[in-house]
Amino acid sequence: MEIIFYITIFLIGLLTGSFCTLAIHRLPLHENITHKRSYCPNCKHKLSFWDMFPVVSYVLLGGKCRYCKHRIAPKYIIIELLTGIVFVLFAISICNMLKSIENIVYLILGLLYITGLIIISGIDKEKGLVNEGVLLYELLVISAYIIYLYILGNVNIYRYVIYLFIMLALLINDTLYLKRKLKNNYALQIVLLSIIMACFVGSINFIITALIAILAIVIRNIVYKFTKQKSKKAPIAYFLCISNIIVLIIANIFYWVV
Ligand SMILES: [Zn+2]
């Protein structure tokens, strides 16, 4: 029974990963992510139903577009596979507790939260910016999470409510006032992302997340210096998201096991 459960989670992860690659590609271009049919980025040919199966279509077509034979970048299949693996690891990290309804709710909220992080990290890695729409989506996930904690009743939610008000104030300030002067307010978006993470994984786990991300950025910059590559600005949100997903899964394992 458990195997079937994890295979289902993996397949949901693959489909979600497929959606993430689409969102990462389209959101910075301000394209519709739900209504417009997928197309080949090279020849713009609309993809058929059979071209859109995660991983399977890629392998069957030999990593090429069916219509123009243009090579499809392997990053798409890598994001799909990684999303599937991360989904399964997250489910495993809370596996002992899946018998109760409240933990199934936590599983769903966690997967929704991780999906947002994957999209944020992908866009930051490619374009060096944080998409505000995805931040807003994470804000909704966090709000649902706070309601979940409130219903559980054994957690003091007042500090979360304060967090939520700070985030709303920052977001409103960002969209209404700062936009006129600054095109892309990266620093403020990193602050927002940090508060969102602190809400979902807790303050201590967020501090560990930030330390790992800072270490990774320092190592990246040293590598760039030594290899004398032209260094672009480090994608801070990308490093934060990846280290946060790892910390979340490891923290869950320790929390449930101990
Ligand atoms: Zn094509």
Side-chain angles (χ1 to χ4, degrees):
M1 255 331 271
E2 273 193 6
I3 291 293
I4 297 170
F5 171 73
Y6 288 124
I7 290 174
T8 312
I9 294 284
F10 182 68
L11 292 178
I12 294 171
L14 288 185
L15 286 170
T16 310
S18 181
F19 172 75
C20 286
T21 61
L22 185 114
I24 291 166
H25 180 73
R26 289 190 188 176
L27 282 176
L29 303 172
H30 304 287
E31 284 181 25
N32 194 314
I33 55 169
T34 48
H35 289 78
K36 218 171 113 190
R37 197 70 176 272
S38 295
Y39 58 89
C40 163
N42 186 50
C43 65
K44 313 280 183 231
H45 196 294
K46 285 212 170 68
L47 300 186
S48 77
F49 178 73
W50 301 105
D51 299 331
M52 294 194 292
F53 280 94
V55 185
V56 179
S57 301
Y58 184 88
V59 173
L60 287 181
L61 294 170
K64 288 182 185 127
C65 168
R66 186 196 295 276
Y67 310 98
C68 68
K69 304 291 171 207
H70 187 263
R71 234 181 86 77
I72 301 161
K75 69 181 177 198
Y76 293 109
I77 193 175
I78 291 170
I79 293 172
E80 283 170 5
L81 280 174
L82 279 180
T83 308
I85 292 168
V86 165
F87 270 34
V88 171
L89 287 178
F90 181 72
I92 289 174
S93 77
I94 51 175
C95 65
N96 298 330
M97 312 300 283
L98 280 178
K99 276 103 201 170
S100 66
I101 297 280
E102 59 191 58
N103 286 295
I104 290 170
V105 174
Y106 178 69
L107 174 75
I108 294 167
L109 287 172
L111 295 182
L112 290 173
Y113 172 72
I114 289 171
T115 304
L117 292 190
I118 291 171
I119 298 172
I120 290 173
S121 68
I123 293 177
D124 191 32
K125 181 96 183 359
E126 293 213 331
K127 306 278 179 191
L129 51 92
V130 177
N131 186 282
E132 247 156 37
V134 192
L135 277 182
L136 205 64
Y137 158 83
E138 288 290 46
L139 210 63
L140 291 177
V141 176
I142 290 297
S143 308
Y145 180 64
I146 293 170
I147 293 168
Y148 159 82
L149 289 179
Y150 179 73
I151 292 170
L152 276 188
N154 52 7
V155 190
N156 183 348
I157 65 154
Y158 293 108
R159 66 192 169 107
Y160 291 104
V161 175
I162 293 168
Y163 278 148
L164 213 61
F165 271 111
I166 296 172
M167 280 190 283
L168 273 178
L170 284 174
L171 207 65
I172 290 167
N173 189 49
D174 188 29
T175 45
L176 289 187
Y177 300 103
L178 292 172
K179 267 286 157 63
R180 292 180 199 152
K181 294 170 197 159
L182 300 160
K183 271 217 127 168
N184 181 24
N185 196 2
Y186 194 72
L188 190 66
Q189 289 162 345
I190 295 295
V191 173
L192 275 170
L193 181 63
S194 301
I195 304 175
I196 287 169
M197 287 177 173
C199 278
F200 200 85
V201 301
S203 327
I204 294 170
N205 288 329
F206 173 69
I207 292 169
I208 300 170
T209 298
L211 288 176
I212 295 173
I214 291 167
L215 189 70
I217 291 168
V218 169
I219 292 171
R220 169 199 181 269
N221 289 345
I222 292 173
V223 169
Y224 268 103
K225 201 136 219 166
F226 268 96
T227 53
K228 295 204 166 75
Q229 289 179 56
K230 244 209 207 150
S231 168
K232 278 196 290 183
K233 175 186 80 173
I236 299 169
Y238 166 77
F239 284 107
L240 272 177
C241 289
I242 292 186
S243 88
N244 194 236
I245 292 172
I246 296 168
V247 169
L248 173 64
I249 290 170
I250 293 175
N252 269 337
I253 292 172
F254 278 99
Y255 177 76
W256 300 121
V257 168
V258 172

